[in-house]
Amino acid sequence: MAETRRRLRSSTVVLGGMGVLAAALSACGSDPDRRCVDRDSYDYINGYKIVADKNCSSGTSSSGKGRKKTGKTKATDADWYYDADVSGGWADHGTFSRDEAVDRGGFGCSGSGSGGG
C-alpha cells in the first residue's frame, strides 16, 4: 500500500513539473497581457482606469489616433496598456509600448531586443 502511494506521488510531481515547463515555454511566444485603459484617467494611487476593449483598436498601440466616443458626449483617449498590475478596475505599473512589454520576457525567455540606447 505504501509503495502505491509513493508511486502516485512521484507521477503527480512529474506531471505537475511537465505542466510548469509547458507553461513557461508557451509564455515566450505569446502576446503580453494587455488592458484597454483611458489615458486621461490616471490616478497617482490607482493608475489608469480600465475601459471596455471596444474603445481600443484591435491592433497594437492606438496612440496618436485620436479620441473615441464612449457615450453620447464623452470621448475617451483609450489605448492598450501592457503587463500591468490590475486591481479593482484599475491598471498600474505597465507600459503603453507593446515592444517594451515583449522585451521584458518571462520565465525561461531571453530578451530579443537590442542592448544599445
Side-chain angles (χ1 to χ4, degrees):
M1 180 85 172
E3 191 175 321
T4 305
R5 267 195 203 157
R6 192 174 303 131
R7 216 178 282 150
L8 177 63
R9 288 180 187 159
S10 299
S11 62
T12 303
V13 170
V14 170
L15 290 174
M18 290 174 62
V20 170
L21 180 62
L25 292 175
S26 65
C28 293
S30 63
D31 286 333
D33 181 42
R34 68 181 185 181
R35 299 283 191 266
C36 185
V37 299
D38 181 1
R39 283 179 165 264
D40 293 334
S41 69
Y42 184 77
D43 178 77
Y44 181 75
I45 295 172
N46 297 314
Y48 293 96
K49 181 73 177 163
I50 297 174
V51 296
D53 287 355
K54 66 182 179 181
N55 294 309
C56 291
S57 67
S58 60
T60 56
S61 178
S62 64
S63 59
K65 293 185 179 176
R67 296 175 178 263
K68 297 182 181 187
K69 292 198 178 213
T70 57
K72 293 183 179 182
T73 58
K74 188 176 179 181
T76 303
D77 186 13
D79 201 357
W80 292 114
Y81 195 53
Y82 298 94
D83 287 343
D85 296 332
V86 178
S87 177
W90 294 85
D92 201 9
H93 305 294
T95 178
F96 285 104
S97 168
R98 183 184 182 282
D99 292 337
E100 184 179 320
V102 170
D103 283 345
R104 288 181 186 181
F107 178 79
C109 302
S110 60
S112 59
S114 64

